[in-house]
């Protein structure tokens, strides 16, 4: 809103009507160049000598990556590639594998549970999704599985300074990002992957061509306009977003610090090269734990107080956890804090301010 003119977009009715750009690709080279500049400016990813592929949000990019790596991972064995993620994991990974029901994949659940089995069977092909920072708990996760038949997809959707310290540019073989967590434009449906291996990149591009003939040109144009405005204003959007998230976490932390019944995830401070200081994380979600034995159904406990979250079992975790979203409006946050304060004040032995 503060930069409504520089971020605005007006498109003529005859603009960009064909499938491809002038270079016969489905990817805007101007937008790709801006993405590389953005990562270099913020320090979130190494993009030199890497390939970039676009998708309809990170959702489509993650699917394309899994297909590309399952083919890259294939051997003479006809058994499907196992797909795993560490608990608590982003539920989309499981949903996509099970919904598409491809003979290429089989979802196996927790990466830690699979690790010993994978190491004992050298012929097992496995893809590990690593969400870093993690959804739902905000931790900077690292891969659990290693070896010649283990491939990793790093979901870096939340790897921006408003959610986490940036200790170093991410430098994995395949990293996925999304506009929705950078600028908030979730409805534009734009994501991208930074890929080291050319063969994997080409397979991802083929997947996009067959699946949707690339990403909408209108979406690419809007993403270009937004990223251009961001880079022209320097650190402003990150400063604004970080202060907004930091304030939300301070209010939430103060409220639940008075509780003996509920607790929040603990994330150690780290040095952030973007802000040149040690700082706390300010993740998109609160991973709330109901500490009492009788509160194992944490979702129901909060719902009874008119607080709606996401059940822990959705993320492969126990039901004494609930995810609360903090990427909502200020009015929503005010209501959440008011209802949590009321809930905490009704506890036996709660700490008074």
């Amino acid at each position: 809103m503060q930069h409504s003119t520089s971020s605005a977009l007006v498109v003529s009715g005859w603009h960009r009507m064909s499938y491809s750009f002038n270079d016969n690709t489905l990817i805007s080279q101007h937008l790709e160049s801006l993405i590389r500049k953005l990562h270099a400016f913020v320090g979130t990813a190494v993009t030199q000598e890497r390939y970039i592929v676009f998708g309809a949000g990170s959702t489509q990019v993650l699917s394309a990556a899994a297909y590309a790596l399952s083919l890259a991972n294939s051997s003479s064995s006809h058994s499907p590639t196992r797909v795993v993620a560490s608990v608590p994991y982003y539920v989309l990974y499981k949903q996509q594998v099970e919904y598409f029901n491809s003979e290429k994949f089989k979802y196996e659940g927790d990466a830690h549970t699979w690790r010993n089995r994978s190491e004992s069977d050298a012929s097992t092909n496995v893809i590990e999704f690593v969400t870093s920072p993690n959804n739902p708990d905000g931790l900077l996760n690292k891969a659990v599985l290693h070896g010649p038949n283990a491939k990793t997809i790093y979901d870096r959707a939340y790897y921006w300074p408003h959610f986490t310290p940036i200790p170093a540019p991410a430098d994995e073989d395949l990293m996925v990002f999304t506009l929705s967590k950078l600028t908030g434009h979730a409805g534009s449906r734009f994501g991208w992957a930074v890929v080291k291996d050319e063969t994997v990149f080409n397979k991802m591009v083929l997947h996009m061509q067959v699946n949707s003939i690339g990403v909408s040109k209108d979406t690419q144009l809007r993403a270009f306009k937004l990223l251009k405005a961001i880079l022209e204003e320097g650190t402003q959007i990150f400063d604004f977003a970080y202060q907004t998230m930091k304030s939300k976490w301070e209010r939430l932390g103060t409220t639940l610090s008075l509780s003996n019944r509920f607790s929040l995830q603990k994330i150690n401070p780290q040095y952030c090269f973007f802000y040149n200081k040690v700082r706390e994380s300010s993740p998109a979600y609160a991973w709330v734990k109901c500490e009492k034995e009788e509160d194992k159904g944490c979702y129901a406990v909060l719902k009874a107080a008119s607080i709606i979250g996401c059940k822990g079992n959705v993320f492969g975790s126990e039901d004494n956890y609930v995810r609360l979203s903090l990427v909502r409006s200020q009015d929503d946050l005010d209501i959440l804090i008011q209802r949590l304060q009321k809930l905490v004040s009704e506890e036996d032995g709660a700490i008074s301010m």
Side-chain angles (χ1 to χ4, degrees):
M1 292 172 68
Q2 294 172 17
H3 302 282
S4 57
T5 301
S6 63
S7 62
L9 182 65
V10 178
V11 184
S12 300
W14 60 87
H15 187 65
R16 294 189 174 185
M17 293 171 62
S18 66
Y19 288 115
S20 61
F21 291 92
N22 292 336
D23 60 357
N24 293 320
T25 72
L26 301 174
I27 291 177
S28 164
Q29 297 304 313
H30 297 294
L31 177 54
E32 180 188 319
S33 177
L34 270 186
I35 288 173
R36 293 181 188 274
K37 289 178 182 177
L38 177 71
H39 282 302
F41 174 69
V42 186
T44 45
V46 174
T47 62
Q48 296 92 336
E49 299 182 358
R50 307 292 171 94
Y51 303 92
I52 293 180
V53 59
F54 299 165
S58 62
T59 303
Q60 190 185 32
V61 179
L62 290 165
S63 177
Y67 270 92
L69 290 183
S70 70
L71 295 170
N73 240 9
S74 63
S75 64
S76 57
S77 171
H78 295 291
S79 62
T81 297
R82 270 52 173 184
V83 178
V84 298
S86 294
V87 172
Y89 49 71
Y90 179 37
V91 66
L92 180 72
Y93 311 141
K94 181 175 184 286
Q95 287 177 335
Q96 282 193 340
V97 171
E98 293 179 347
Y99 177 78
F100 291 118
N101 195 27
S102 169
E103 63 182 15
K104 300 178 185 298
F105 309 115
K106 182 181 179 183
Y107 193 77
E108 288 287 349
D110 185 28
H112 293 274
T113 303
W114 177 257
R115 178 166 52 188
N116 291 337
R117 295 161 62 188
S118 176
E119 290 175 351
S120 64
D121 184 359
S123 65
T124 302
N125 293 322
V126 60
I127 295 172
E128 181 182 0
F129 282 101
V130 180
T131 319
S132 185
N134 194 32
N135 174 2
D137 60 16
L139 296 177
L140 285 170
N141 286 347
K142 295 183 179 180
V144 172
L145 305 179
H146 304 280
N149 291 321
K151 304 293 182 181
T152 307
I153 299 170
Y154 268 84
D155 186 345
R156 291 287 190 175
Y158 300 91
Y159 198 57
W160 299 104
H162 35 296
F163 294 128
T164 181
I166 307 297
D171 190 19
E172 294 87 29
D173 289 351
L174 202 164
M175 304 171 282
V176 177
F177 295 85
T178 174
L179 188 69
S180 65
K181 306 308 183 295
L182 168 60
T183 68
H185 291 79
S188 293
R189 307 309 303 136
F190 182 73
W192 67 94
V194 180
V195 185
K196 181 181 287 187
D197 185 85
E198 184 178 9
T199 300
V200 172
F201 165 75
N202 287 331
K203 289 175 179 177
M204 291 181 69
V205 170
L206 177 61
H207 179 88
M208 299 301 185
Q209 290 173 342
V210 174
N211 185 263
S212 61
I213 319 182
V215 177
S216 160
K217 282 187 172 182
D218 294 338
T219 290
Q220 294 190 52
L221 184 58
R222 188 169 199 208
F224 174 84
K225 190 70 172 178
L226 292 168
L227 298 188
K228 187 172 182 287
I230 287 172
L231 287 168
E232 286 173 351
E233 299 300 333
T235 65
Q236 282 191 27
I237 190 172
F238 300 106
D239 296 341
F240 172 82
Y242 171 50
Q243 290 303 321
T244 300
M245 294 304 300
K246 181 172 178 283
S247 173
K248 289 180 178 183
W249 271 96
E250 286 171 350
R251 292 182 64 190
L252 181 65
T254 298
T255 300
L256 292 189
S257 68
L258 307 177
S259 173
N260 296 315
R261 191 179 183 187
F262 308 102
S263 64
L264 290 167
Q265 73 264 45
K266 292 179 172 58
I267 306 175
N268 292 328
Q270 290 196 59
Y271 188 84
C272 177
F273 278 92
F274 183 75
Y275 282 119
N276 294 314
K277 66 178 183 180
V278 175
R279 50 157 287 203
E280 302 278 352
S281 292
S282 45
Y285 308 105
W287 188 230
V288 177
K289 182 180 181 182
C290 285
E291 296 287 352
K292 295 188 176 181
E293 185 70 22
E294 60 267 29
D295 290 340
K296 278 191 173 180
C298 197
Y299 174 84
V301 171
L302 293 176
K303 188 177 180 181
S306 298
I307 298 169
I308 307 299
C310 196
K311 294 180 180 180
N313 63 17
V314 171
F315 307 93
S317 192
E318 298 83 13
D319 279 335
N320 59 336
Y321 285 94
V322 168
R323 190 195 75 174
L324 299 179
S325 176
L326 298 183
V327 283
R328 296 187 178 277
S329 71
Q330 192 62 42
D331 289 342
D332 284 343
L333 180 76
D334 291 341
I335 294 170
L336 172 63
I337 295 297
Q338 289 170 10
R339 291 177 181 175
L340 282 174
Q341 286 174 339
K342 184 176 185 298
L343 191 59
V344 170
S345 69
E346 294 168 353
E347 291 181 27
D348 292 331
I351 304 169
S352 59
M353 296 185 69

